[in-house]
Amino acid sequence: MKITINGRTCQAREGTTVLAAARDNGIYIPSLCFHPKTGPAARCRACAVDIEGMRGGLQTACSTPVKEGMVIRTDSETVKAAQTMVVDLLLANGRHDCLACEKSGVCELQDAAYHLGIQRPELTFKETPPQVADESSAFIRIDREKCIRCGRCVSACNHNVVNEVLNFGSRGDDTRIIFDADLPMGESTCVQCGDCVQMCPVGALVEKKAVGKGRRWETRQVRTTCPYCGVGCQLDLHVKGDRIVRVTGVENAEPNQGHLCVKGRFGYDFIYAKDRLTTPLIREEGGFREASWDEALDLVARKFKEAILEHGPDSVAGVSCARSTNEASYNMQKLFRAVLGTNNIDHCARTCHAPTVAGLATSFGSGAMTNSFKELPKAKLIFCIGTNMTEAHPVASYYVKQAVRNGARLIVADPRRHALAQEAHLFAQIKVGSDVAFLNGLMQVLVTEGLVDQDYIDAHCENYPALRDKVLEYPPERASAISGVPAAMIREIARTLAAHKPGAVCYTLGITEHTCGTQNVMSIANLQMMLGNLGVEGGGVNPLRGQNNVQGACDMGALPGDFPGYQKVVNPAARAKFEQAWGVPALPATPGLMIPDMVTGLKSGKVKVLVVFGENLANSEPNIHHVEECLAAADFLVCHDIFPNETTRFAHVVLPGAAWGEDEGTYTNSERRVSRVRKIKDAPGDAKPDWWLYKELAKRMGSDWVSGSAQEIWDDEVSALAPALGGIKYARLDGDGLQWPCPTPGHPGTTFLHKEGAFTRGKGLFQAFDWAPPAEVADPEYPFVLSTGRRLYHYHTRTQTGRSGMNQLLPREVADLSAADAERLGLKDGELVRVTSRRGEVQVPCRITPEVPAGLVWMAFHFREGNANWLTNDAGDTTTKTAEFKACAVNVRKVVQEVG
Ligand code: SF4
């Protein structure tokens, strides 16, 4: 539509506001309380404008819809006077200290004052005593003297990230931003995601780490991808010299729309840690000594040659890194396959989502998340099972909570009543390891009550009768007896699922880390096919991947049975293709060892050389005593990492890698989105890019590879060899990246898979399963069930978060117990308990919490001391050998501390 602003004819988009139309046409109107993400508030009134013919005087541009033919003045004397009065009042009613303020240069109040020509406020108020800024939280400072009460932070906290901590307190002149019931920020329930900081238009809320580290005009912005979880949030690094001064979420970017969690926003210091590995190390009597790259790589190459000569190619094995880039994983698997001649290459998907890859590939033909994060806020129903999303994938949880606020139904099934369960319309507190029975029970109701999508099943799926007959053996009463979920609730959940479509299922490791993990995954696939919830926006089966690039490491073929792009090593045509591409006469045809077999192979002598890239197996694998015995028995162990860790203690050679921020490359997030990561500084000392190291090893083994940068590896090899990635080139990745499948140069990428029933494998495959209990269940000797997972403030074995200030927020491991068990054991919150299993024991303080039911102990594996993996069971999923981290039997006793 056409409008006139200040006498100039302008185009305006239908449905926008006067403020947006002016901005679209390059006309500045001061505005402070408005932000596109928090919406119009019309609170500050700095955006007053004159609109011809509108009654009631000046209008707020942020809240006035634009109309055809509107005549607007933003520059009249009346308008200027009104805007000046507002800005003048705000400047006078606070201490803005522009000279020293962190926001100087990007402050929206400063911009407004400059635009209006305000040198200093004309108004003066009675002097008030200075207020001390609230510095009580680890990462955020609030200086209320700079607060203009625009409410953007309150809106962001309540509506965007839906953490519901910030609010306005008091009234009139005393109105102030408060946390919970006016607690100091650090004592409130604030999780320090920092969305409030990003939304604050002035210097009231700032990153403590950034204070005094650099003015805004001194920093450059570098877009990259978060180095933590599989959501793959897009970050702007604000860099001065080689130092990250602050991190902000990239606005209007997929997948995170500017939102971040505490780790993404504040967890970056680890790259500057003093204990970074900076030079190759070789073990000698009495410890490690520094070595040159030539010496270290020659030694590794010699050990490869000796092992292969004496014991064959399958005596060497490698664990790739899901934290590093796609290009590094590609080069590592290429080294093992094309140069060393073995498929003994795996990575940490074995520890987490290997059942997803195997299960969804069987059911659908593609083992990845079917849909996209951006679809979640629009879903009619979200069913979260076995996912502690608010802690493990916080930005995804913002979308789920937004969906609930938008009217979606939320069903949560989990052994713990965690934060997301508080949001649920229906919460099923299932017993650990009962998922197959529970899901069969839901499907029994769908079948018996005629709620299945029969048309969809008939048109797009196969093997339905076998599944139908199996689930009929699980009426709700039987499913209830196994899962502990009341039969009436099982019926209600099934009916709710059928009544609100499309519905999305989200899950994580609560589903996969079981001896029946792959069956759990395929049961979810069964449920969604039965409901016809696939191939539609807002539906799908959505496994949220753990590490930043675990999807990419799978895609790159860091798996024992798959070349890049899931082309099978057992397929002669696939082998022929890669033999030609890599210029080798024959590639190994048998799938290689999985991580658990590599580890035990060190002790049995089957594996002579193991390369561990970016993994801390001694902390992250189940049954630490067993893992350490195996690592200690290694003939030759190579660790390629950025820090010394519990695993490098066993290494014979340690090779220093470049960290996140020290090389170019790509990560692939859970929703199959390939995004760029960028270099902001050199790696310290003599540390080298990860992809380089495998190229150098190949050279020492007689193979001279051509690709000499991450871009060349991707553009010339990965993209050329993996059909689903064929259209993805670096030149197309500058913005929000691309989601595979993206087979051709002009292809836009794929937001959701299996559209119109076109499953990757042809038809969706129903598979019928009986429930079986976990490998180890509670008994009189070990009467508790231990389940494990991650906590918000730490990541994996803390190699990164432990060096980024997160220890302030979570300084040690604890064991979560119910109040009923604590009372029975005579425990008070924080008292020390000894948790024992058949494999080990730990002593940790207990945390008494309503989240866990009686009989359950819940722990994480972030800290060496108190690590749950001293206790966990290494019994593996029958298909993928992923360990049953989620269920083992333990005992808990109070530690009686002796006095004197
Ligand atoms: Fe990083 Fe995940 Fe947090 Fe996003 S949700 S900022 S990807 S850790």
Side-chain angles (χ1 to χ4, degrees):
M1 60 179 81
K2 276 204 178 82
I3 59 171
T4 306
I5 307 179
N6 300 340
R8 195 176 114 199
T9 305
C10 300
Q11 297 289 333
R13 286 173 289 126
E14 194 101 29
T16 58
T17 61
V18 170
L19 181 67
R23 285 185 176 175
D24 287 348
N25 286 279
I27 296 165
Y28 175 74
I29 300 173
S31 84
L32 297 164
C33 63
F34 172 82
H35 187 278
K37 270 164 52 184
T38 53
R43 176 184 281 273
C44 74
R45 314 196 83 78
C47 64
V49 292
D50 191 0
I51 301 175
E52 206 172 278
M54 280 191 87
R55 285 208 235 144
L58 300 180
Q59 309 293 318
T60 48
C62 73
S63 62
T64 306
V66 76
K67 291 208 179 89
E68 176 71 45
M70 231 177 202
V71 178
I72 301 152
R73 289 229 74 99
T74 73
D75 60 353
S76 69
E77 286 308 313
T78 320
V79 168
K80 290 257 180 185
Q83 293 176 347
T84 301
M85 189 182 70
V86 168
V87 174
D88 209 28
L89 269 166
L90 291 171
L91 282 168
N93 196 7
R95 290 185 176 86
H96 291 283
D97 302 330
C98 291
L99 290 179
C101 182
E102 285 300 320
K103 280 292 202 55
S104 190
V106 290
C107 171
E108 293 175 39
L109 183 61
Q110 200 179 49
D111 287 346
Y114 184 81
H115 171 77
L116 295 165
I118 301 173
Q119 305 253 340
R120 53 183 53 82
E122 295 216 338
L123 300 164
T124 47
F125 289 96
K126 194 166 57 128
E127 271 292 309
T128 50
Q131 288 183 53
V132 179
D134 179 349
E135 305 258 6
S136 60
S137 94
F139 296 122
I140 300 169
R141 180 175 85 180
I142 177 161
D143 180 349
R144 289 186 173 84
E145 293 197 316
K146 291 181 177 160
C147 176
I148 58 170
R149 300 168 194 87
C150 64
R152 273 163 47 169
C153 58
V154 174
S155 182
C157 186
N158 289 279
H159 306 304
N160 293 359
V161 295
V162 202
N163 286 330
E164 298 179 332
V165 179
L166 271 74
N167 213 331
F168 286 109
S170 303
R171 288 286 176 272
D173 279 356
D174 294 331
T175 301
R176 61 205 295 275
I177 302 302
I178 59 168
F179 299 86
D180 292 333
D182 205 3
L183 293 171
M185 191 180 197
E187 291 170 29
S188 73
T189 54
C190 169
V191 290
Q192 304 197 49
C193 68
D195 220 59
C196 56
V197 177
Q198 187 151 334
M199 285 298 104
C200 180
V202 294
L205 284 153
V206 296
E207 306 92 341
K208 284 169 79 174
K209 282 183 178 187
V211 173
K213 297 288 179 354
R215 312 309 300 265
R216 299 288 174 141
W217 51 87
E218 296 174 314
T219 59
R220 61 195 158 98
Q221 267 176 251
V222 181
R223 180 168 172 169
T224 194
T225 306
C226 178
Y228 288 103
C229 87
V231 176
C233 293
Q234 293 299 292
L235 319 177
D236 275 327
L237 308 181
H238 302 246
V239 184
K240 182 181 174 187
D242 70 354
R243 301 293 301 192
I244 299 171
V245 171
R246 67 174 56 76
V247 170
T248 51
V250 182
E251 295 291 353
N252 297 317
E254 299 300 343
N256 53 312
Q257 294 294 326
H259 306 307
L260 298 175
C261 77
V262 62
K263 294 186 287 287
R265 193 178 297 276
F266 298 112
Y268 52 80
D269 287 337
F270 68 94
I271 61 173
Y272 305 106
K274 292 210 165 33
D275 60 342
R276 282 286 302 276
L277 291 167
T278 55
T279 187
L281 301 172
I282 293 177
R283 175 179 295 285
E284 282 189 341
E285 286 299 317
F288 288 109
R289 68 164 172 84
E290 294 188 355
S292 69
W293 274 104
D294 277 340
E295 189 185 8
L297 292 175
D298 285 347
L299 175 59
V300 176
R302 179 161 60 80
K303 290 290 180 183
F304 280 150
K305 286 175 191 161
E306 286 171 5
I308 292 168
L309 198 66
E310 263 187 64
H311 307 283
D314 289 338
S315 65
V316 299
V319 178
S320 189
C321 177
R323 302 276 256 289
S324 187
T325 59
N326 284 320
E327 294 77 5
S329 267
Y330 173 85
N331 262 13
M332 187 179 187
Q333 62 83 38
K334 182 178 167 186
L335 171 77
F336 274 77
R337 294 197 159 104
V339 179
L340 305 181
T342 178
N343 284 315
N344 286 349
I345 180 78
D346 204 359
H347 75 286
C348 73
R350 192 65 48 209
T351 314
C352 55
H353 270 291
T356 291
V357 179
L360 296 187
T362 305
S363 299
F364 305 150
S366 170
M369 177 170 171
T370 60
N371 288 55
S372 298
F373 290 115
K374 70 178 176 191
E375 296 169 36
L376 289 175
K378 298 179 217 150
K380 293 213 171 65
L381 179 144
I382 302 174
F383 179 16
C384 294
I385 179 166
T387 167
N388 175 22
M389 209 188 278
T390 50
E391 295 198 70
H393 300 90
V395 169
S397 80
Y398 306 160
Y399 291 149
V400 172
K401 290 186 281 185
Q402 284 174 19
V404 173
R405 300 301 182 276
N406 292 343
R409 309 296 291 176
L410 176 64
I411 300 169
V412 172
D414 202 279
R416 292 191 303 150
R417 189 182 284 275
H418 49 54
L420 200 62
Q422 318 289 344
E423 302 280 331
H425 297 97
L426 292 167
F427 170 55
Q429 194 155 25
I430 62 173
K431 287 185 186 161
V432 172
S434 66
D435 306 85
V436 167
F438 173 65
L439 292 162
N440 278 354
L442 294 178
M443 289 187 273
Q444 193 272 0
V445 178
L446 295 176
V447 172
T448 55
E449 297 191 7
L451 300 174
V452 301
D453 188 337
Q454 198 62 51
D455 290 344
Y456 183 88
I457 293 168
D458 293 343
H460 305 303
C461 306
E462 59 190 6
N463 202 32
Y464 177 63
L467 175 77
R468 182 196 56 212
D469 293 350
K470 177 54 66 186
V471 301
L472 287 174
E473 296 170 18
Y474 287 81
E477 286 68 23
R478 183 180 173 206
S480 171
I482 296 168
S483 68
V485 180
M489 181 175 275
I490 292 174
R491 290 193 170 87
E492 191 179 357
I493 290 173
R495 290 168 190 155
T496 306
L497 288 168
H500 299 83
K501 292 200 280 185
V505 174
C506 297
Y507 72 87
T508 53
L509 308 187
I511 284 295
T512 58
E513 287 181 340
H514 287 285
T515 42
C516 57
T518 306
Q519 297 185 359
N520 284 348
V521 169
M522 289 193 275
S523 297
I524 290 172
N526 288 339
L527 176 72
Q528 287 295 73
M529 287 191 286
M530 197 179 254
L531 288 162
N533 269 337
L534 285 152
V536 286
E537 191 176 34
V541 175
N542 300 291
L544 309 185
R545 306 300 297 262
Q547 306 231 37
N548 51 321
N549 195 37
V550 69
Q551 179 66 52
C554 291
D555 299 347
M556 293 304 105
L559 291 168
D562 296 74
F563 290 120
Y566 306 97
Q567 297 163 89
K568 302 294 171 199
V569 299
V570 293
N571 179 348
R575 285 202 305 279
K577 171 179 169 177
F578 281 90
E579 283 159 6
Q580 192 189 17
W582 291 340
V584 293
L587 286 166
T590 326
L593 296 175
M594 300 175 186
I595 290 175
D597 295 331
M598 293 180 188
V599 172
T600 49
L602 292 174
K603 197 169 168 203
S604 70
K606 191 171 181 180
V607 174
K608 298 294 178 190
V609 181
L610 178 67
V611 181
V612 178
F613 169 24
E615 276 295 319
N616 190 4
L617 301 179
N619 260 16
S620 62
E621 290 296 294
N623 191 0
I624 288 176
H625 286 298
H626 164 72
V627 175
E628 292 200 338
E629 255 177 56
C630 296
L631 292 172
D635 273 23
F636 197 72
L637 179 67
V638 182
C639 285
H640 169 196
D641 219 306
I642 59 172
F643 291 112
N645 59 35
E646 287 79 6
T647 308
T648 58
R649 289 181 301 135
F650 297 95
H652 298 88
V653 171
V654 179
L655 302 172
W660 168 84
E662 294 170 352
D663 194 19
E664 303 289 321
T666 55
Y667 294 163
T668 307
N669 77 348
S670 293
E671 54 174 9
R672 302 164 276 103
R673 185 183 300 279
V674 182
S675 300
R676 284 293 314 275
V677 278
R678 292 187 173 83
K679 179 175 175 172
I680 55 143
K681 75 184 219 14
D682 289 332
D686 217 7
K688 299 282 188 201
D690 298 331
W691 59 265
W692 173 89
L693 193 152
Y694 297 103
K695 180 177 157 77
E696 285 297 309
L697 279 172
K699 190 154 85 187
R700 282 164 171 77
M701 300 296 293
S703 296
D704 218 356
W705 294 349
V706 175
S707 300
S709 69
Q711 177 163 1
E712 284 176 11
I713 293 167
W714 182 279
D715 283 352
D716 300 343
E717 300 194 44
V718 176
S719 166
L721 288 167
L725 307 172
I728 304 179
K729 302 284 181 190
Y730 267 44
R732 296 186 70 195
L733 291 178
D734 273 345
D736 290 349
L738 285 162
Q739 288 173 277
W740 64 256
C742 178
T744 51
H747 195 285
T750 306
T751 53
F752 60 89
L753 303 176
H754 319 309
K755 199 172 180 180
E756 289 161 5
F759 285 97
T760 313
R761 69 178 293 280
K763 289 201 164 195
L765 178 65
F766 283 110
Q767 299 260 75
F769 301 109
D770 265 316
W771 170 78
E776 191 178 71
V777 294
D779 59 22
E781 198 182 349
Y782 294 100
F784 288 85
V785 172
L786 171 72
S787 199
T788 69
R790 295 210 309 245
R791 298 191 194 268
L792 174 65
Y793 297 115
H794 279 301
Y795 194 78
H796 214 249
T797 63
R798 266 184 340 109
T799 46
Q800 297 177 179
T801 51
R803 292 171 172 92
S804 299
M806 300 288 162
N807 288 356
Q808 298 169 75
L809 294 163
L810 183 64
R812 64 180 302 186
E813 194 50 82
V814 294
D816 291 358
L817 283 174
S818 70
D821 287 330
E823 190 181 348
R824 201 165 46 75
L825 296 168
L827 285 165
K828 293 199 194 73
D829 193 51
E831 284 190 318
L832 209 56
V833 291
R834 178 178 295 114
V835 188
T836 53
S837 79
R838 290 184 174 83
R839 292 154 294 279
E841 73 165 59
V842 295
Q843 286 192 19
V844 285
C846 67
R847 185 176 81 109
I848 301 170
T849 167
E851 288 176 6
V852 298
L856 184 71
V857 184
W858 196 89
M859 295 176 67
F861 61 102
H862 302 306
F863 291 83
R864 176 72 173 174
E865 304 74 30
N867 188 316
N869 284 329
W870 294 105
L871 310 167
T872 45
N873 189 0
D874 43 13
D877 171 47
T878 45
T879 308
T880 63
K881 301 195 177 174
T882 296
E884 195 152 54
F885 290 94
K886 295 299 183 211
C888 74
V890 296
N891 203 352
V892 182
R893 290 197 182 84
K894 180 173 177 170
V895 174
V896 181
Q897 286 168 322
E898 289 177 16
V899 180

